Amino acid sequence: MALGRDEFLTRLASDFPDVVAHIDQYATGSLHCEVAAFRRATEQAIDTGRSWEAEKHFRLVEELLREAGPELRNALEVSYLEDFALGECTPKRRQVVRERMPTTLHQVLVGYHPNWK
């Protein structure tokens, strides 16, 4: 069975309850907005020196993509990976991506924008 929004939110609540707590009323109910909130949490983790936490986020995305249904796959690819790739490419973010992001995700990121090589 392919994973969808419910499974994404269940895993997020289980693994990262602080992220779920910061999904505001305007994002709740929209998978793309919920995934974007997760992406912003990843960026914040990197920016505040919690690269170990960002790595855990990356690993969850990699795991979910393996079994994601079409809606979750699209949200993860667009509102997480593509938005991350098109966002600010600071030296710190680039270093964490190179050192901690799984190769499969890193290749996708580079495909969206070569800054991440």
Side-chain angles (χ1 to χ4, degrees):
M1 184 169 118
L3 302 180
R5 178 178 178 266
D6 290 341
E7 292 82 11
F8 167 71
L9 291 176
T10 298
R11 283 298 304 277
L12 204 57
S14 171
D15 296 357
F16 306 104
D18 54 318
V19 174
V20 174
H22 287 95
I23 297 175
D24 66 25
Q25 65 185 8
Y26 304 107
T28 299
S30 169
L31 180 57
H32 276 272
C33 292
E34 293 160 343
V35 169
F38 183 41
R39 179 208 18 93
R40 287 189 301 275
T42 304
E43 292 168 340
Q44 184 178 32
I46 295 169
D47 295 345
T48 57
R50 298 184 332 267
S51 56
W52 56 270
E53 185 176 335
E55 182 176 355
K56 288 175 65 177
H57 291 195
F58 297 149
R59 299 275 176 209
L60 178 59
V61 170
E62 179 185 45
E63 180 183 330
L64 291 171
L65 278 170
R66 276 186 247 141
E67 297 184 43
E71 289 179 0
L72 180 57
R73 172 172 295 287
N74 180 262
L76 291 170
E77 289 176 349
V78 173
S79 295
Y80 191 93
L81 291 170
E82 184 175 357
D83 283 358
F84 190 100
L86 298 176
E88 191 174 1
C89 183
T90 65
K92 184 184 283 189
R93 287 182 185 182
R94 187 180 345 216
Q95 178 182 0
V96 170
V97 162
R98 286 180 179 163
E99 294 175 359
R100 303 229 180 201
M101 182 177 269
T103 303
T104 55
L105 298 184
H106 187 224
Q107 291 170 343
V108 172
L109 212 63
V110 169
Y112 286 127
H113 202 293
N115 282 348
W116 298 97
K117 286 184 181 179

